[in-house]
Every structure is written in C-alpha cells, then in structure tokens.
Amino acid sequence: MYSQGLIGADGRTDEAPEFLEAFQKRIDAEEKIEPMDAMPEGYRRTLIRQIGQHAHSEIVGMLPEGNWITRAPSLKRKAALLAKVQDEGGHGLYLYAAAETLGVSRDQMTEELLSGKAKYSSIFNYPTLSWADIGTIGWLVDGAAIMNQIPLCRCSFGPYARAMIRVCKEESFHQRQGYEIVMTLARGTPEQKAMAQDSLNRWWWPSLMMFGPHDAESQHSDQNMKWKIKRFSNDELRQKFIDATVPQAQFLGLSVPDPDLTWNEEKGGYDHGPIDWDEFWRVVKGGGVMNRDRIEARQKAWDDGAWVREAALAHAEKRRARKLAAE
Ligand code: FAQ
C-alpha cells in the first residue's frame, strides 16, 4: 500500500513551511480540499492509502456474503442479500473513483491489492459458516462500518466525504436487514437461537478489531486527526460501537462473548476484556483462515475481466478515431 514515506506525515518534509501552514489553516477552517487544490504530498498519499484500502474492503467484502446468495432461506432474503452485495460493489466503485482523483489509477490500486502490498479490512478474512453469519455481518460489520464512516462524511477531502454520505445511508439499511435476520433467528427455535449465538461468538471480537489497533499503537491517527481525515480515534469509535451494540444484543437475549464486559457508570460506557492483537496482526499480515481464498478470488475476477477491459479500451479508441476523422 502507499506508505506515507518520509514526506509530511512524520514532520520531515521538503515542502515549504509556509505552504504547510497555509494548508493547515484551510483544514482548521473546515474548508473542503478538492482534487485540483494544492495539498501536501503526505496528505495525498495518506488519502490514497486509506481510500484505496477502504475500496478494496468493500469489494473483498462482497465475497463472504456473496457465498450465501444461492443458499438464502427464502426469495425475500435472497433479494435483500443480492441488493446488499451489489451495494457494496457500488461503494467500492465510488471509492476507487474518489482515489483516482488523487492521481492513482485503478489498475495500480488493484495491482497493490493482488501483490499483497495493499491492505483490506481484517474482518473479511473470516469464513461465513452459517446463515446466521449473514445476519451478524449486517448487524455487526455494517454497524461497525457505519460507526467509522459517519465521521468520514466530514472528512476534509471533498470527494471522500461526499461518497461517504450515500455509503452511510446504504450501510444503515444493511445494518437493519442484518439485525432483523438475527432477531428472527433469536426468536425462532432453540436451534436457531443457538445458531445466532454461535455466530455472535465468532464475529464479536473480529468486529472490534475493524477499528484498528489501540490508539497507542496507531501510527497514522495523530496526523490524520490533525488533517481532519479522521475525526475520532480508533479506541473512541470502538467504544461507541460497543456502547451502541451491547444493548442490541441484550434486547435479542443473546450474550456478548466477553466475560469482562461491565458497565462503567463513571465513564458512561462499557469496559471490555482484552482484544487479541496477535490474532489481529496475523490476519492483517495474511494469516487468517480466508486470506488466500479472498486474494485468489480477486485475482480470478481480474483475469476473467481482462477481455472486458480490453474491449472497452478498443471501443473507446474506435470512437476517438471516428470523432477525429469527422473533424
Ligand atoms: N484491517 O495507524 P492505523 C465495510 C492497518 S468497510 C486491516 O490505526 P489508520 C463495509 C492500517 O491500514 C471496512 N488493516 O491506520 C462493508 C495501517 O496499515 P498501513 C473498511 C488495518 O488508517 C460491510 C496499520 O494497520 N473500512 O466494512 C485495520 O489511521 C459489509 C496501522 O493502523 C475502512 O477502510 C483493519 N481492521 O486507521 C463491506 C474505513 N485497521 O495502511 C462489505 C476507512 C488498521 O500503514 C460487507 N479507514 N489497519 O499499511 C479507516 O477509517 C482507517 O484506515 C482505519 C485504520 C480505522 C481502518
């Protein structure tokens, strides 16, 4: 992925201090930065890294749920799931387009994903073992995505912020359809309720990991908050997610798989048990159950789509030549 390198992010930069100060003033005044505006190289690279990772996550994120379209238990469930998976594909496309305005091509971003240089969200390296997982993904994974993305609607970079508004509206529908699936199971037979509980047990901790490492370990947070790309830290968003989600689990009569989870009256939120960061980094670095399958599936889609890209280019070239000839 695009590392922030030596420019900007760590304070070392070749760019004039007056330029960086003037840019920071625009950020502090809550002005939106647009693609043709002058921007520090570190800001541009950070956005390419984050938006690229986000786009890859949406596209790879279609795979775990896509796996269940043919096995959805009714026509209604199939139609809703199909629409959801298509929405995620749309989100990936807006995000690739937003990143392209920063001077990176979609081909470059795809190459970085396929070569393992670019990351995508750790959550999509877990398998979907039962129908309940489809409900749980909508409830928890889309729920976590919304918690992270609502503040991104106020991101300082205009195209990213604007893309997030529509994305959040759609994610909000996804979250509700997921919760409704889990509610149906939780109110069903004892076997169905057990299936919902087993799914919550498997997805709870990976969902908390979606917010990224603890603040003390988060290498990009400080600079990203200064540039108003991020508005809240990883831990702040994780806490908001836990506080919103635990009552939803209680309402369903399901238990959150964390024996240390306790309400802390003083802070007005839940205290939680330790997150297994070894597991997080193992999954991020390619050692999760599904990492290999996910990249193989993306590689196959890229290879199978080569003729479409070639045909589109040939068609565009023909049109251009025809237009030139007519001039
Ligand atoms: N997985 O310094 P920080 C969705 C990496 S969309 C993998 O804290 P930052 C919708 C991070 O990239 C889900 N890698 O980084 C959906 C960095 O590595 P790098 C995706 C992770 O950028 C639902 C390193 O660790 N959402 O779910 C993860 O300040 C259902 C150090 O971390 C977004 O991408 C992780 N979980 O904060 C789709 C939202 N966490 O790049 C289908 C936008 C951290 O230097 C179905 N992104 N890393 O090599 C963000 O808000 C931020 O990038 C964070 C990370 C919060 C993810």
Side-chain angles (χ1 to χ4, degrees):
M1 178 64 106
Y2 299 81
S3 109
Q4 293 189 81
L6 298 180
I7 313 167
D10 60 1
R12 284 193 278 167
T13 175
D14 298 338
E15 290 156 327
E18 304 78 48
F19 166 68
L20 295 177
E21 266 167 43
F23 181 77
Q24 190 60 47
K25 264 199 189 136
R26 290 193 63 194
I27 298 278
D28 294 342
E30 297 287 339
E31 278 181 41
K32 285 277 177 269
I33 308 300
E34 297 299 335
M36 301 308 280
D37 294 351
M39 62 183 84
E41 187 58 12
Y43 179 82
R44 193 180 68 84
R45 288 193 196 187
T46 293
L47 282 164
I48 290 176
R49 178 187 65 79
Q50 177 166 327
I51 303 173
Q53 167 176 304
H54 195 165
H56 297 322
S57 303
E58 300 280 357
I59 299 292
V60 175
M62 297 166 78
L63 297 168
E65 289 172 287
N67 189 33
W68 278 87
I69 292 172
T70 53
R71 289 179 285 167
S74 70
L75 186 58
K76 184 186 116 187
R77 295 294 189 201
K78 192 194 284 279
L81 181 58
L82 192 58
K84 179 193 190 298
V85 172
Q86 283 175 340
D87 285 352
E88 307 299 1
H91 299 172
L93 297 186
Y94 318 144
L95 287 163
Y96 282 129
E100 279 176 320
T101 68
L102 290 157
V104 62
S105 73
R106 187 156 159 201
D107 285 10
Q108 274 170 278
M109 287 184 275
T110 305
E111 274 163 27
E112 298 255 342
L113 171 72
L114 296 178
S115 70
K117 269 199 213 158
K119 294 188 170 76
Y120 58 91
S121 184
S122 49
I123 193 76
F124 301 117
N125 293 307
Y126 292 84
T128 38
L129 302 180
S130 74
W131 170 250
D133 289 359
I134 300 308
T136 309
I137 289 180
W139 173 29
L140 300 185
V141 176
D142 285 271
I146 295 168
M147 204 50 96
N148 168 276
Q149 287 166 194
I150 292 281
L152 288 175
C153 297
R154 292 188 295 123
C155 166
S156 56
F157 184 58
Y160 194 24
R162 290 189 288 273
M164 280 304 109
I165 294 171
R166 175 159 173 189
V167 167
C168 283
K169 284 184 185 161
E170 292 178 353
E171 301 292 29
S172 156
F173 157 73
H174 300 163
Q175 196 270 352
R176 280 158 212 214
Q177 70 85 37
Y179 191 68
E180 200 261 334
I181 291 174
V182 182
M183 194 187 304
T184 305
L185 293 171
R187 292 181 177 170
T189 63
E191 288 80 6
Q192 285 173 318
K193 187 166 182 185
M195 200 160 96
Q197 182 63 57
D198 168 65
S199 179
L200 175 58
N201 293 347
R202 285 181 289 107
W203 290 89
W204 175 254
W205 292 103
S207 298
L208 299 191
M209 293 175 195
M210 283 177 73
F211 295 94
H214 273 319
D215 292 351
E217 311 292 321
S218 166
Q219 65 194 102
H220 304 302
S221 278
D222 288 349
Q223 182 61 68
N224 286 0
M225 304 262 283
K226 206 167 156 217
W227 276 329
K228 298 190 194 288
I229 294 172
K230 268 176 157 173
R231 298 278 176 164
F232 295 96
S233 75
N234 298 356
D235 286 334
E236 283 170 338
L237 290 174
R238 188 168 15 248
Q239 183 69 51
K240 279 172 185 277
F241 173 75
I242 294 170
D243 294 343
T245 312
V246 170
Q248 294 169 358
Q250 286 166 344
F251 180 77
L252 296 176
L254 298 178
S255 48
V256 172
D258 178 357
D260 296 325
L261 194 72
T262 39
W263 177 254
N264 181 329
E265 193 61 51
E266 212 173 295
K267 82 170 179 188
Y270 286 91
D271 289 332
H272 63 85
I275 295 173
D276 184 348
W277 293 113
D278 291 342
E279 173 178 321
F280 171 74
W281 289 115
R282 191 172 62 247
V283 173
V284 169
K285 289 179 183 158
V289 178
M290 300 303 289
N291 292 64
R292 230 182 61 192
D293 284 51
R294 299 301 184 228
I295 292 298
E296 273 174 16
R298 289 308 307 139
Q299 181 73 58
K300 183 172 183 313
W302 187 247
D303 295 343
D304 289 353
W307 71 270
V308 179
R309 294 191 298 277
E310 281 160 21
L313 282 175
H315 180 63
E317 183 54 38
K318 239 193 222 169
R319 285 183 60 166
R320 199 179 64 87
R322 219 179 284 143
K323 200 171 160 221
L324 271 182
E327 275 171 7

mmCIF file of all heavy atoms in Angstrom, residues 179-208:
data_model
loop_
_atom_site.group_PDB
_atom_site.id
_atom_site.type_symbol
_atom_site.label_atom_id
_atom_site.label_comp_id
_atom_site.label_asym_id
_atom_site.label_seq_id
_atom_site.Cartn_x
_atom_site.Cartn_y
_atom_site.Cartn_z
ATOM 1 N N TYR A 179 -29.742 -7.039 11.373
ATOM 2 C CA TYR A 179 -30.289 -7.171 12.728
ATOM 3 C C TYR A 179 -31.615 -7.932 12.683
ATOM 4 O O TYR A 179 -31.912 -8.760 13.537
ATOM 5 C CB TYR A 179 -30.471 -5.778 13.346
ATOM 6 C CG TYR A 179 -30.778 -5.807 14.825
ATOM 7 C CD1 TYR A 179 -29.814 -6.236 15.744
ATOM 8 C CD2 TYR A 179 -32.022 -5.411 15.309
ATOM 9 C CE1 TYR A 179 -30.085 -6.258 17.105
ATOM 10 C CE2 TYR A 179 -32.305 -5.434 16.677
ATOM 11 C CZ TYR A 179 -31.327 -5.858 17.568
ATOM 12 O OH TYR A 179 -31.594 -5.889 18.915
ATOM 13 N N GLU A 180 -32.372 -7.669 11.635
ATOM 14 C CA GLU A 180 -33.685 -8.330 11.526
ATOM 15 C C GLU A 180 -33.524 -9.841 11.289
ATOM 16 O O GLU A 180 -34.305 -10.650 11.785
ATOM 17 C CB GLU A 180 -34.487 -7.654 10.405
ATOM 18 C CG GLU A 180 -35.990 -7.887 10.490
ATOM 19 C CD GLU A 180 -36.456 -8.995 9.561
ATOM 20 O OE1 GLU A 180 -35.788 -9.242 8.533
ATOM 21 O OE2 GLU A 180 -37.487 -9.609 9.860
ATOM 22 N N ILE A 181 -32.496 -10.222 10.550
ATOM 23 C CA ILE A 181 -32.223 -11.655 10.349
ATOM 24 C C ILE A 181 -31.878 -12.292 11.702
ATOM 25 O O ILE A 181 -32.402 -13.351 12.075
ATOM 26 C CB ILE A 181 -31.054 -11.877 9.353
ATOM 27 C CG1 ILE A 181 -31.467 -11.475 7.940
ATOM 28 C CG2 ILE A 181 -30.585 -13.346 9.370
ATOM 29 C CD1 ILE A 181 -30.323 -11.526 6.908
ATOM 30 N N VAL A 182 -30.985 -11.615 12.444
ATOM 31 C CA VAL A 182 -30.570 -12.183 13.736
ATOM 32 C C VAL A 182 -31.769 -12.220 14.687
ATOM 33 O O VAL A 182 -31.967 -13.195 15.433
ATOM 34 C CB VAL A 182 -29.392 -11.385 14.361
ATOM 35 C CG1 VAL A 182 -28.947 -12.024 15.667
ATOM 36 C CG2 VAL A 182 -28.209 -11.337 13.408
ATOM 37 N N MET A 183 -32.610 -11.196 14.638
ATOM 38 C CA MET A 183 -33.793 -11.167 15.522
ATOM 39 C C MET A 183 -34.729 -12.341 15.210
ATOM 40 O O MET A 183 -35.256 -13.005 16.107
ATOM 41 C CB MET A 183 -34.552 -9.842 15.338
ATOM 42 C CG MET A 183 -35.563 -9.621 16.436
ATOM 43 S SD MET A 183 -36.625 -8.196 16.191
ATOM 44 C CE MET A 183 -35.491 -6.882 16.014
ATOM 45 N N THR A 184 -34.913 -12.604 13.918
ATOM 46 C CA THR A 184 -35.781 -13.725 13.519
ATOM 47 C C THR A 184 -35.236 -15.042 14.077
ATOM 48 O O THR A 184 -35.986 -15.868 14.608
ATOM 49 C CB THR A 184 -35.878 -13.796 11.972
ATOM 50 O OG1 THR A 184 -36.323 -12.526 11.509
ATOM 51 C CG2 THR A 184 -36.835 -14.875 11.509
ATOM 52 N N LEU A 185 -33.913 -15.212 13.977
ATOM 53 C CA LEU A 185 -33.301 -16.449 14.489
ATOM 54 C C LEU A 185 -33.384 -16.502 16.016
ATOM 55 O O LEU A 185 -33.702 -17.545 16.603
ATOM 56 C CB LEU A 185 -31.840 -16.550 14.037
ATOM 57 C CG LEU A 185 -31.628 -16.734 12.524
ATOM 58 C CD1 LEU A 185 -30.145 -16.603 12.182
ATOM 59 C CD2 LEU A 185 -32.155 -18.088 12.063
ATOM 60 N N ALA A 186 -33.122 -15.353 16.657
ATOM 61 C CA ALA A 186 -33.108 -15.328 18.131
ATOM 62 C C ALA A 186 -34.494 -15.612 18.697
ATOM 63 O O ALA A 186 -34.632 -16.104 19.818
ATOM 64 C CB ALA A 186 -32.586 -13.989 18.626
ATOM 65 N N ARG A 187 -35.542 -15.294 17.912
ATOM 66 C CA ARG A 187 -36.908 -15.544 18.372
ATOM 67 C C ARG A 187 -37.466 -16.847 17.798
ATOM 68 O O ARG A 187 -38.654 -17.130 17.928
ATOM 69 C CB ARG A 187 -37.811 -14.382 17.952
ATOM 70 C CG ARG A 187 -37.450 -13.123 18.701
ATOM 71 C CD ARG A 187 -38.343 -11.980 18.327
ATOM 72 N NE ARG A 187 -38.014 -10.806 19.122
ATOM 73 C CZ ARG A 187 -38.480 -9.598 18.906
ATOM 74 N NH1 ARG A 187 -39.308 -9.390 17.889
ATOM 75 N NH2 ARG A 187 -38.137 -8.594 19.679
ATOM 76 N N GLY A 188 -36.610 -17.606 17.116
ATOM 77 C CA GLY A 188 -37.061 -18.846 16.484
ATOM 78 C C GLY A 188 -36.928 -20.045 17.405
ATOM 79 O O GLY A 188 -37.063 -19.940 18.627
ATOM 80 N N THR A 189 -36.616 -21.189 16.828
ATOM 81 C CA THR A 189 -36.467 -22.421 17.610
ATOM 82 C C THR A 189 -35.186 -22.338 18.445
ATOM 83 O O THR A 189 -34.305 -21.509 18.146
ATOM 84 C CB THR A 189 -36.333 -23.634 16.659
ATOM 85 O OG1 THR A 189 -35.135 -23.456 15.897
ATOM 86 C CG2 THR A 189 -37.525 -23.767 15.725
ATOM 87 N N PRO A 190 -35.035 -23.208 19.466
ATOM 88 C CA PRO A 190 -33.786 -23.190 20.238
ATOM 89 C C PRO A 190 -32.565 -23.394 19.334
ATOM 90 O O PRO A 190 -31.515 -22.793 19.545
ATOM 91 C CB PRO A 190 -33.951 -24.370 21.219
ATOM 92 C CG PRO A 190 -35.426 -24.551 21.347
ATOM 93 C CD PRO A 190 -36.026 -24.147 20.029
ATOM 94 N N GLU A 191 -32.710 -24.213 18.292
ATOM 95 C CA GLU A 191 -31.571 -24.441 17.372
ATOM 96 C C GLU A 191 -31.216 -23.143 16.634
ATOM 97 O O GLU A 191 -30.049 -22.836 16.432
ATOM 98 C CB GLU A 191 -31.911 -25.531 16.334
ATOM 99 C CG GLU A 191 -31.971 -26.938 16.877
ATOM 100 C CD GLU A 191 -33.309 -27.251 17.587
ATOM 101 O OE1 GLU A 191 -34.239 -26.405 17.562
ATOM 102 O OE2 GLU A 191 -33.409 -28.339 18.188
ATOM 103 N N GLN A 192 -32.259 -22.419 16.224
ATOM 104 C CA GLN A 192 -31.994 -21.165 15.505
ATOM 105 C C GLN A 192 -31.341 -20.139 16.426
ATOM 106 O O GLN A 192 -30.406 -19.431 16.040
ATOM 107 C CB GLN A 192 -33.299 -20.596 14.926
ATOM 108 C CG GLN A 192 -33.758 -21.374 13.697
ATOM 109 C CD GLN A 192 -35.128 -20.928 13.227
ATOM 110 O OE1 GLN A 192 -36.048 -20.703 14.036
ATOM 111 N NE2 GLN A 192 -35.293 -20.805 11.931
ATOM 112 N N LYS A 193 -31.822 -20.087 17.657
ATOM 113 C CA LYS A 193 -31.225 -19.145 18.615
ATOM 114 C C LYS A 193 -29.760 -19.518 18.872
ATOM 115 O O LYS A 193 -28.887 -18.646 18.945
ATOM 116 C CB LYS A 193 -32.029 -19.136 19.926
ATOM 117 C CG LYS A 193 -31.544 -18.054 20.849
ATOM 118 C CD LYS A 193 -32.473 -17.761 21.999
ATOM 119 C CE LYS A 193 -31.872 -16.627 22.819
ATOM 120 N NZ LYS A 193 -32.616 -16.329 24.015
ATOM 121 N N ALA A 194 -29.501 -20.821 18.975
ATOM 122 C CA ALA A 194 -28.117 -21.267 19.216
ATOM 123 C C ALA A 194 -27.221 -20.885 18.026
ATOM 124 O O ALA A 194 -26.052 -20.531 18.191
ATOM 125 C CB ALA A 194 -28.095 -22.777 19.440
ATOM 126 N N MET A 195 -27.808 -20.943 16.836
ATOM 127 C CA MET A 195 -27.042 -20.582 15.639
ATOM 128 C C MET A 195 -26.672 -19.090 15.685
ATOM 129 O O MET A 195 -25.545 -18.692 15.355
ATOM 130 C CB MET A 195 -27.913 -20.868 14.414
ATOM 131 C CG MET A 195 -27.210 -21.006 13.127
ATOM 132 S SD MET A 195 -28.273 -21.906 11.957
ATOM 133 C CE MET A 195 -29.010 -20.592 11.078
ATOM 134 N N ALA A 196 -27.645 -18.269 16.124
ATOM 135 C CA ALA A 196 -27.385 -16.824 16.235
ATOM 136 C C ALA A 196 -26.307 -16.560 17.289
ATOM 137 O O ALA A 196 -25.394 -15.750 17.083
ATOM 138 C CB ALA A 196 -28.672 -16.082 16.589
ATOM 139 N N GLN A 197 -26.391 -17.276 18.408
ATOM 140 C CA GLN A 197 -25.405 -17.076 19.483
ATOM 141 C C GLN A 197 -24.005 -17.495 19.022
ATOM 142 O O GLN A 197 -23.020 -16.793 19.260
ATOM 143 C CB GLN A 197 -25.824 -17.875 20.735
ATOM 144 C CG GLN A 197 -24.887 -17.690 21.927
ATOM 145 C CD GLN A 197 -24.843 -16.243 22.437
ATOM 146 O OE1 GLN A 197 -25.874 -15.684 22.796
ATOM 147 N NE2 GLN A 197 -23.663 -15.622 22.438
ATOM 148 N N ASP A 198 -23.942 -18.622 18.335
ATOM 149 C CA ASP A 198 -22.641 -19.108 17.848
ATOM 150 C C ASP A 198 -22.030 -18.086 16.878
ATOM 151 O O ASP A 198 -20.819 -17.813 16.899
ATOM 152 C CB ASP A 198 -22.846 -20.464 17.142
ATOM 153 C CG ASP A 198 -21.614 -20.882 16.366
ATOM 154 O OD1 ASP A 198 -20.586 -21.127 17.012
ATOM 155 O OD2 ASP A 198 -21.664 -20.928 15.117
ATOM 156 N N SER A 199 -22.879 -17.497 16.067
ATOM 157 C CA SER A 199 -22.393 -16.517 15.102
ATOM 158 C C SER A 199 -21.875 -15.260 15.828
ATOM 159 O O SER A 199 -20.791 -14.747 15.510
ATOM 160 C CB SER A 199 -23.546 -16.189 14.154
ATOM 161 O OG SER A 199 -23.138 -15.246 13.232
ATOM 162 N N LEU A 200 -22.636 -14.798 16.817
ATOM 163 C CA LEU A 200 -22.184 -13.635 17.597
ATOM 164 C C LEU A 200 -20.843 -13.949 18.278
ATOM 165 O O LEU A 200 -19.933 -13.116 18.304
ATOM 166 C CB LEU A 200 -23.258 -13.258 18.635
ATOM 167 C CG LEU A 200 -22.916 -12.133 19.614
ATOM 168 C CD1 LEU A 200 -22.577 -10.827 18.886
ATOM 169 C CD2 LEU A 200 -24.097 -11.873 20.575
ATOM 170 N N ASN A 201 -20.728 -15.172 18.797
ATOM 171 C CA ASN A 201 -19.475 -15.562 19.462
ATOM 172 C C ASN A 201 -18.284 -15.447 18.513
ATOM 173 O O ASN A 201 -17.206 -15.032 18.894
ATOM 174 C CB ASN A 201 -19.541 -17.014 19.953
ATOM 175 C CG ASN A 201 -20.553 -17.191 21.063
ATOM 176 O OD1 ASN A 201 -21.038 -16.205 21.632
ATOM 177 N ND2 ASN A 201 -20.902 -18.434 21.373
ATOM 178 N N ARG A 202 -18.489 -15.835 17.254
ATOM 179 C CA ARG A 202 -17.360 -15.824 16.312
ATOM 180 C C ARG A 202 -17.044 -14.438 15.751
ATOM 181 O O ARG A 202 -15.918 -14.150 15.392
ATOM 182 C CB ARG A 202 -17.619 -16.818 15.159
ATOM 183 C CG ARG A 202 -17.432 -18.276 15.594
ATOM 184 C CD ARG A 202 -17.664 -19.265 14.452
ATOM 185 N NE ARG A 202 -19.076 -19.356 14.082
ATOM 186 C CZ ARG A 202 -19.596 -18.854 12.982
ATOM 187 N NH1 ARG A 202 -18.846 -18.250 12.086
ATOM 188 N NH2 ARG A 202 -20.891 -18.984 12.735
ATOM 189 N N TRP A 203 -18.078 -13.567 15.630
ATOM 190 C CA TRP A 203 -17.856 -12.288 14.933
ATOM 191 C C TRP A 203 -17.607 -11.103 15.862
ATOM 192 O O TRP A 203 -17.190 -10.036 15.422
ATOM 193 C CB TRP A 203 -19.042 -11.973 13.991
ATOM 194 C CG TRP A 203 -19.064 -12.901 12.812
ATOM 195 C CD1 TRP A 203 -19.694 -14.112 12.728
ATOM 196 C CD2 TRP A 203 -18.392 -12.732 11.556
ATOM 197 N NE1 TRP A 203 -19.461 -14.695 11.504
ATOM 198 C CE2 TRP A 203 -18.666 -13.864 10.763
ATOM 199 C CE3 TRP A 203 -17.594 -11.723 11.013
ATOM 200 C CZ2 TRP A 203 -18.170 -14.029 9.467
ATOM 201 C CZ3 TRP A 203 -17.098 -11.880 9.721
ATOM 202 C CH2 TRP A 203 -17.379 -13.023 8.965
ATOM 203 N N TRP A 204 -17.901 -11.281 17.162
ATOM 204 C CA TRP A 204 -17.791 -10.140 18.069
ATOM 205 C C TRP A 204 -16.382 -9.538 18.091
ATOM 206 O O TRP A 204 -16.174 -8.359 17.810
ATOM 207 C CB TRP A 204 -18.224 -10.532 19.491
ATOM 208 C CG TRP A 204 -18.027 -9.423 20.486
ATOM 209 C CD1 TRP A 204 -17.068 -9.338 21.444
ATOM 210 C CD2 TRP A 204 -18.815 -8.221 20.594
ATOM 211 N NE1 TRP A 204 -17.210 -8.165 22.153
ATOM 212 C CE2 TRP A 204 -18.267 -7.463 21.650
ATOM 213 C CE3 TRP A 204 -19.928 -7.712 19.902
ATOM 214 C CZ2 TRP A 204 -18.783 -6.223 22.042
ATOM 215 C CZ3 TRP A 204 -20.442 -6.477 20.282
ATOM 216 C CH2 TRP A 204 -19.875 -5.754 21.339
ATOM 217 N N TRP A 205 -15.385 -10.386 18.425
ATOM 218 C CA TRP A 205 -14.031 -9.843 18.574
ATOM 219 C C TRP A 205 -13.458 -9.347 17.246
ATOM 220 O O TRP A 205 -12.879 -8.244 17.202
ATOM 221 C CB TRP A 205 -13.117 -10.879 19.247
ATOM 222 C CG TRP A 205 -13.519 -11.115 20.680
ATOM 223 C CD1 TRP A 205 -14.197 -12.181 21.176
ATOM 224 C CD2 TRP A 205 -13.303 -10.229 21.800
ATOM 225 N NE1 TRP A 205 -14.403 -12.026 22.535
ATOM 226 C CE2 TRP A 205 -13.865 -10.841 22.940
ATOM 227 C CE3 TRP A 205 -12.695 -8.986 21.942
ATOM 228 C CZ2 TRP A 205 -13.832 -10.252 24.204
ATOM 229 C CZ3 TRP A 205 -12.656 -8.394 23.203
ATOM 230 C CH2 TRP A 205 -13.219 -9.022 24.307
ATOM 231 N N PRO A 206 -13.621 -10.107 16.144
ATOM 232 C CA PRO A 206 -13.126 -9.563 14.869
ATOM 233 C C PRO A 206 -13.782 -8.220 14.507
ATOM 234 O O PRO A 206 -13.138 -7.358 13.908
ATOM 235 C CB PRO A 206 -13.497 -10.652 13.856
ATOM 236 C CG PRO A 206 -13.489 -11.921 14.667
ATOM 237 C CD PRO A 206 -14.046 -11.519 16.010
ATOM 238 N N SER A 207 -15.068 -8.038 14.917
ATOM 239 C CA SER A 207 -15.718 -6.743 14.615
ATOM 240 C C SER A 207 -15.041 -5.614 15.393
ATOM 241 O O SER A 207 -14.869 -4.506 14.866
ATOM 242 C CB SER A 207 -17.206 -6.775 14.967
ATOM 243 O OG SER A 207 -17.847 -7.747 14.194
ATOM 244 N N LEU A 208 -14.658 -5.885 16.640
ATOM 245 C CA LEU A 208 -13.969 -4.839 17.424
ATOM 246 C C LEU A 208 -12.617 -4.499 16.802
ATOM 247 O O LEU A 208 -12.144 -3.363 16.885
ATOM 248 C CB LEU A 208 -13.767 -5.279 18.879
ATOM 249 C CG LEU A 208 -15.022 -5.591 19.705
ATOM 250 C CD1 LEU A 208 -14.644 -5.751 21.173
ATOM 251 C CD2 LEU A 208 -16.078 -4.499 19.546
#
